[in-house]
Amino acid sequence: MIGASWAGRRKVTRPIRFWLLGTVLLLILAATIAVFAGSRPAAAAGRKPDAVRWVTSWGAGPQAAGRDTIAEAGFDNQTVRDIIFTSVGGDPIRLELTNAYGASPLRIGRVTVAVSGADGALAPGTIYPVTYRGRPSFQIPAGAQVLSDPVAMRVWPLEELAVSVYLPDQTGRATYHLDASQVNWVSAPGDHTADQDASAFVVPTTSWFYLSGLVVRSAQAVGTVVAIGDSITDGVNSDVGANARWPNDLARRLDAVSGPTLAVADEGIGGNRVLSDSRVFGVSAEARFGRDVLDQPGVRDVIVLEGINDIGFSPVMAYRGAVVSGVSSGTAVSAGQIIAGYRQLIAAAHARGLRIFGATLLPFQGAGYYSGAFDGVIDFDQVMRDPADPLRLNPAYDSGDHLHPNDAGYQAMANAINLAMLLPR
């Protein structure tokens, strides 16, 4: 099922006092630009083995099934085919499969990976079986994720792959990633993991299912930069199927640089908040930081672009004794609480010896809601603002909702990142 539009999920309930929320926003942005220094370990500790030799070429933050979605209904004797986009190439590869929000063990009947063709088809001669502990069929415990055995497949940078997962039993609510900005596929009954053509894949969807990572052994990549954030990092309102999210554009820039490079893992979740959990928009950045960031193979640097939803979903925000009306139901937060949340992420990253960069929030006056201590700053606000009205997105970069960039805007964001800040000197 094609997901509902993002604009339809964000309804204004109360007017905003722009001048005061603007002051709050500036306070939060100011807290993101103090500079700290941090060392890097040879590899991040975590559940995934061989992190020093492996990097995350693609990632997607897992979410619990939303209401009125395919994920809520689950699957039974069906195959899902997820289309993903690599940041770096390598050989061999491994897939991370997830049952993070499953209520019971998930039986996987068979998995394949191939180079993606058109409209859900597979490129001839590129289909590879995927196993876990030597078995083509296996179970993933409720609440768990597993990393497959190495697959002797070479993938290239900036390449689309198709991962097909056969689900022989009734799954119950599925773990998924809601906004993929990519057309994926669900089959008619049966195991269609080895089908080169797409005739059995009858239901298009813009969500990914049961897949949270692609790990590659790369001779070129010296590590992984993880982008954690909300819908803007997730690429909402970018052209579906164009791989035009700003982390994709950052991967393209890194790929064009000669010498050592970095893999890019996009861990944005639409609607996500720094402080508060949501069934629809995922657990908070604080809660998922270990799983989605610290445990990524080869993680070296972190970019944080999050906080707009903490402001926008808050019914009231306290600022120097004043109460500022918000625009949506939710838990009231203060600017100080959001800043404290940033500091927790920073402390967790530094405890692993990682560098963490804060990105300034984009201008968002006119959207449905409006209103430090990092190792460096990425000033998206300066790049994306309207020169004639700095509180608004530049019309050339506005997808139309005054909050999410269009493809040109996401490219401008990627171009604003100083690669020398990330790449080894």
Side-chain angles (χ1 to χ4, degrees), residues 158-218:
L158 313 179
E159 180 177 43
E160 283 197 342
L161 303 178
V163 178
S164 304
V165 181
Y166 173 52
L167 305 156
D169 305 324
Q170 190 169 27
T171 64
R173 290 181 174 178
T175 298
Y176 78 147
H177 184 91
L178 173 60
D179 283 306
S181 295
Q182 172 66 57
V183 177
N184 305 292
W185 301 91
V186 180
S187 79
D191 178 359
H192 299 282
T193 55
D195 289 10
Q196 180 178 306
D197 67 74
S199 59
F201 291 89
V202 293
V203 179
T205 172
T206 52
S207 299
W208 288 304
F209 298 93
Y210 300 115
L211 186 64
S212 54
L214 168 71
V215 180
V216 307
R217 181 177 290 166
S218 172

Side-chain angles (χ1 to χ4, degrees), residues 47 62 97-106 140-146 175 291:
R47 70 188 187 288
L97 300 165
T98 180
N99 189 28
Y101 297 102
S104 60
L106 175 69
I140 305 176
Q145 301 185 164
V146 301
T175 298
R291 180 194 67 195

